[in-house]
Amino acid sequence: LVADAHGRVMFANQASSAIMGLPADDLLGHDLVDLLTYGDNQAEMQTALRNLGAGVPQMVEAPLPPAEGRAKRLLVWSFLPVSLILGADTQVIATGRDLTESRLQQDRISFQSNILAQVREAVLVCDEDNLVSYWNAGAEELYGVPRSCAIGKPWMASVHFEANSGTSLELISESLHQHGEWRGEMTQRRLDGGHLRVAATIGRRVVAGSNGVYVAIIHDLTKRYQAEEARRASEQRLRLTLHQAPAILWSTDTNLIYTTSLGAGLRGLLQEENDVTGQALIDVVKGDPQADYIVAYHRRALAGQGGHYHLRYRDCDFDVNVEPLYDPDQQIVGVIGVAVDVTELRKSLEEVRL
């Protein structure tokens, strides 16, 4: 738009017509400030035009009012004092550039970046040259590398594969080339030497103006693997203890059906582990003089009351504890019992008395 010395539009090109939503001829004669003012930016427009008197170009962002079939737009106007170039009757040339789509894109990128910055998973983006272009807070925490040290550097400078990681760069590259994506678990190493077990999803995304970027979302499995390893080690220690300690450990369901039986004490009863699993308690102890006594203590445990008693069973002496078996919701789901074989202790005490 070209305005005269009085601020009246004296020329409008076709792009102005398209942006303003009016025929170019209908723009002629309008006051430039009135034409470009929408909302609360009138004072800013007037100040920019006054400052042109000092011969300094001005730039103002201004919304464009919505028109029929068109949403509100955002433009940036550049004002140039060009009277010496185009003649004394000309005061200013106003050049408008539509920022709507680019600003919306910036807002979307900013919104997405804010979300990615808050997710706990590590998210990183590399360009076609394998240089890191995005590195979120999750990546900083996982690998111990600040964003400022990762951006613009090869990703291999911050992410190190272990030799026995469970995969290889060659396999990942082949999958990305053939399928555009790779998913799996791998072992990595932090810069401080700490080991990581992670699950990763790496995808190739085509971006205008480049050969594509690689987006990796990495979830830390290290604590889960450590917990599983600790659980396995604990179970192994418990199993070793039960295999060697003169005791029996068993459990039943609410129908007093055996669900497990373990322990070295079973050998004194000529039983193997889980020999009675699936059998009813009442059938296993049937015929024993203390059968009713044993069943009664188990029923009391099902009612929430544990108990301790002494049992002589098949020429073996046991100190027995039975307790309710609870699920994670603290509901009784059966009975758990421990019987310690005190046969040898009884014999020793009898010898001392003699």
Side-chain angles (χ1 to χ4, degrees):
L1 298 170
V2 180
D4 61 20
H6 303 288
R8 300 289 178 178
V9 175
M10 55 185 293
F11 172 78
N13 68 352
Q14 291 301 315
S16 301
S17 173
I19 288 177
M20 306 301 290
L22 292 171
D25 290 344
D26 289 354
L27 297 175
L28 303 182
H30 279 279
D31 181 84
L32 184 62
V33 174
D34 291 342
L35 189 64
L36 303 185
T37 298
Y38 175 69
D40 300 328
N41 70 319
Q42 183 174 15
E44 187 177 9
M45 281 287 186
Q46 290 174 337
T47 300
L49 292 175
R50 281 199 304 267
N51 290 339
L52 287 174
V56 180
Q58 302 291 308
M59 182 175 292
V60 178
E61 283 191 11
L64 188 69
E68 184 178 353
R70 185 193 68 197
K72 184 173 71 174
R73 314 294 292 179
L74 177 67
L75 284 83
V76 58
W77 290 97
S78 299
F79 301 108
L80 302 175
V82 291
S83 58
L84 295 179
I85 300 175
L86 297 181
D89 291 336
T90 305
Q91 183 184 34
V92 61
I93 286 184
T95 306
R97 183 162 57 91
D98 193 340
L99 296 179
T100 310
E101 294 302 327
S102 61
R103 187 59 55 84
L104 289 174
Q105 181 68 10
Q106 290 175 6
D107 290 343
R108 284 193 291 267
I109 293 173
S110 177
F111 176 73
Q112 293 167 357
S113 295
N114 287 334
I115 292 177
L116 292 175
Q118 297 177 47
V119 300
R120 300 185 63 181
E121 284 77 10
V123 181
L124 57 108
V125 179
C126 299
D127 61 20
E128 62 266 28
D129 297 320
N130 290 321
L131 300 179
V132 176
S133 58
Y134 181 81
W135 186 267
N136 76 336
E140 289 184 316
E141 181 178 356
L142 180 62
Y143 295 111
V145 179
R147 182 176 182 273
S148 58
C149 296
I151 297 296
K153 307 289 180 58
W155 66 272
M156 288 292 290
S158 302
V159 182
H160 301 271
F161 280 77
E162 290 286 13
N164 58 342
S165 66
T167 186
S168 66
L169 292 177
E170 290 76 14
L171 290 175
I172 294 175
S173 298
E174 182 179 352
S175 179
L176 289 172
H177 178 72
Q178 293 183 355
H179 310 293
E181 187 176 74
W182 180 87
R183 296 172 182 262
E185 294 185 8
M186 66 182 81
T187 302
Q188 296 178 334
R189 178 169 45 86
R190 290 166 51 98
L191 290 183
D192 61 10
H195 295 278
L196 299 169
R197 186 66 183 179
V198 302
T201 299
I202 306 173
R204 184 174 181 272
R205 301 292 181 265
V206 177
V207 177
S210 73
N211 294 326
V213 298
Y214 298 95
V215 180
I217 302 174
I218 302 168
H219 181 66
D220 188 4
L221 303 177
T222 308
K223 290 183 178 179
R224 192 186 81 183
Y225 269 79
Q226 290 173 342
E228 290 177 353
E229 183 61 30
R231 178 183 58 79
R232 285 193 294 268
S234 177
E235 290 177 351
Q236 182 64 20
R237 287 193 297 271
L238 177 61
R239 188 168 292 275
L240 287 173
T241 300
L242 290 172
H243 274 298
Q244 299 176 41
I248 303 171
L249 174 69
W250 72 93
S251 61
T252 75
D253 60 17
T254 53
N255 295 315
L256 296 183
I257 304 297
Y258 281 102
T259 54
T260 186
S261 63
L262 305 167
L266 290 169
R267 291 193 291 269
L269 305 179
L270 303 179
Q271 291 183 12
E272 298 294 332
E273 288 188 356
N274 295 315
D275 270 358
V276 297
T277 298
Q279 299 182 43
L281 170 69
I282 194 170
D283 293 334
V284 172
V285 300
K286 186 177 182 180
D288 190 278
Q290 294 181 286
D292 292 342
Y293 183 64
I294 296 170
V295 173
Y297 265 93
H298 280 73
R299 293 196 185 281
R300 287 174 59 186
L302 284 176
Q305 183 179 356
H308 172 265
Y309 59 92
H310 181 79
L311 174 67
R312 185 168 181 79
Y313 186 72
R314 295 185 181 179
D315 297 326
C316 293
D317 289 284
F318 294 95
D319 276 337
V320 182
N321 279 282
V322 290
E323 298 289 340
L325 180 62
Y326 295 95
D327 67 7
D329 297 323
Q330 295 302 301
Q331 300 297 313
I332 295 176
V333 293
V335 176
I336 185 167
V338 178
V340 179
D341 190 341
V342 295
T343 306
E344 295 302 321
L345 176 61
R346 177 183 60 80
K347 291 180 179 178
S348 297
L349 292 175
E350 289 176 351
E351 291 175 358
V352 170
R353 293 192 189 100
L354 292 177

